[in-house]
Amino acid sequence: GAGVSQTPSNKVTEKGKYVELRCDPISGHTALYWYRQSLGQGPEFLIYFQGTGAADDSGLPNDRFFAVRPEGSVSTLKIQRTERGDSAVYLCASSLRGGLAGWDEQFFGPGTRLTVL
Amino acid sequence: SQQGEEDPQALSIQEGENATMNCSYKTSINNLQWYRQNSGRGLVHLILIRSNEREKHSGRLRVTLDTSKKSSSLLITASRAADTASYFCATAGTGGFKTIFGAGTRLFVKA
């Protein structure tokens, strides 16, 4: 079956602009995660959804970052007033049951490379 | 800050040799997972070990977990050039919902 998909694969924007990054999880997966990864580092947790609700958004760096998952499937990560420091690869992952199953295997998408000029 | 810390940061071995990577973490965990990342396939889950397990095998992979030392190791036996990648440990804590990744071990297997 289809894996996790993310669009766009690359996004170049100017400082101060607004961007939206989209994640399509594997069908039937209730848990969805967003991470960002800088060069040479491991993925950094941003937010975790169980169904439609954000169960843990403690990784969002500040209030310029927001994510939604209105129907419990597709999720959008929104970044307002982008800054150069936001440049990174944004990764999305989904898992079948997430915390409801004591944390299960996460399937990652290919990521969106965001560059803020 | 990252909870998992992998050691070594980089490892270069010959094909056929074994590779061992270690991971340490700081707080109580529900489970620990190992992932591999290379440019061709992105992040791929390798193995999950729960806090009540001590050892787990999957093909050429062997993972151990010592909760008293808050550490885990990943052993890849009979390495292949295709094993060249970055390897990350990730912990799912008992006190929240975060999955925390370490900075990774970069493995290079020479053919």
Side-chain angles (χ1 to χ4, degrees):
Chain A
V4 177
S5 63
Q6 292 185 247
T7 54
S9 56
N10 279 286
K11 177 70 177 179
V12 180
T13 191
E14 294 179 341
K15 182 175 177 293
K17 298 289 188 181
Y18 169 82
V19 296
E20 288 190 353
L21 311 179
R22 176 186 168 110
C23 172
D24 279 85
I26 292 173
S27 178
H29 280 195
T30 64
L32 186 145
Y33 314 76
W34 283 99
Y35 300 86
R36 71 177 176 181
Q37 186 175 25
S38 299
L39 192 64
Q41 298 296 314
E44 174 192 6
F45 171 85
L46 296 178
I47 188 169
Y48 158 68
F49 286 91
Q50 184 61 257
T52 60
D56 187 341
D57 64 357
S58 62
L60 296 178
N62 51 59
D63 61 6
R64 295 186 298 105
F65 289 74
F66 190 70
V68 295
R69 194 186 185 200
E71 297 178 357
S73 178
V74 170
S75 176
T76 304
L77 178 66
K78 308 180 181 192
I79 310 174
Q80 298 178 324
R81 304 183 303 280
T82 52
E83 299 177 356
R84 291 192 181 88
D86 298 335
S87 296
V89 176
Y90 288 80
L91 297 167
C92 175
S94 70
S95 68
L96 186 60
R97 299 187 66 210
L100 300 178
W103 305 106
D104 45 3
E105 172 187 356
Q106 294 181 35
F107 294 83
F108 280 81
T112 293
R113 183 176 298 278
L114 175 66
T115 303
V116 182
L117 302 176
Chain B
S1 63
Q2 304 283 9
Q3 173 173 235
E5 296 290 338
E6 285 91 342
D7 161 54
Q9 291 184 349
L11 182 60
S12 181
I13 58 174
Q14 291 290 140
E15 205 167 31
E17 293 180 340
N18 296 340
T20 299
M21 289 160 268
N22 302 295
C23 168
S24 60
Y25 57 92
K26 296 176 183 173
T27 61
S28 296
I29 61 169
N30 184 290
N31 68 51
L32 186 145
Q33 303 179 36
W34 284 90
Y35 288 82
R36 179 179 65 211
Q37 184 177 41
N38 57 34
S39 57
R41 294 193 59 196
L43 265 162
V44 174
H45 180 268
L46 295 176
I47 197 164
L48 180 155
I49 186 166
R50 298 205 179 273
S51 59
N52 60 353
E53 297 175 307
R54 292 297 167 257
E55 188 170 312
K56 206 161 183 181
H57 297 254
S58 176
R60 293 185 296 113
L61 306 180
R62 172 178 170 253
V63 168
T64 62
L65 179 65
D66 186 334
T67 53
S68 66
K69 295 181 179 178
K70 292 187 168 59
S71 68
S72 174
S73 67
L74 171 67
L75 168 68
I76 304 174
T77 60
S79 62
R80 305 166 182 169
D83 295 328
T84 294
S86 290
Y87 291 81
F88 298 93
C89 68
T91 54
T94 57
F97 296 99
K98 290 183 180 182
T99 302
I100 305 296
F101 282 77
T105 292
R106 281 136 196 89
L107 174 66
F108 181 65
V109 181
K110 294 177 281 188

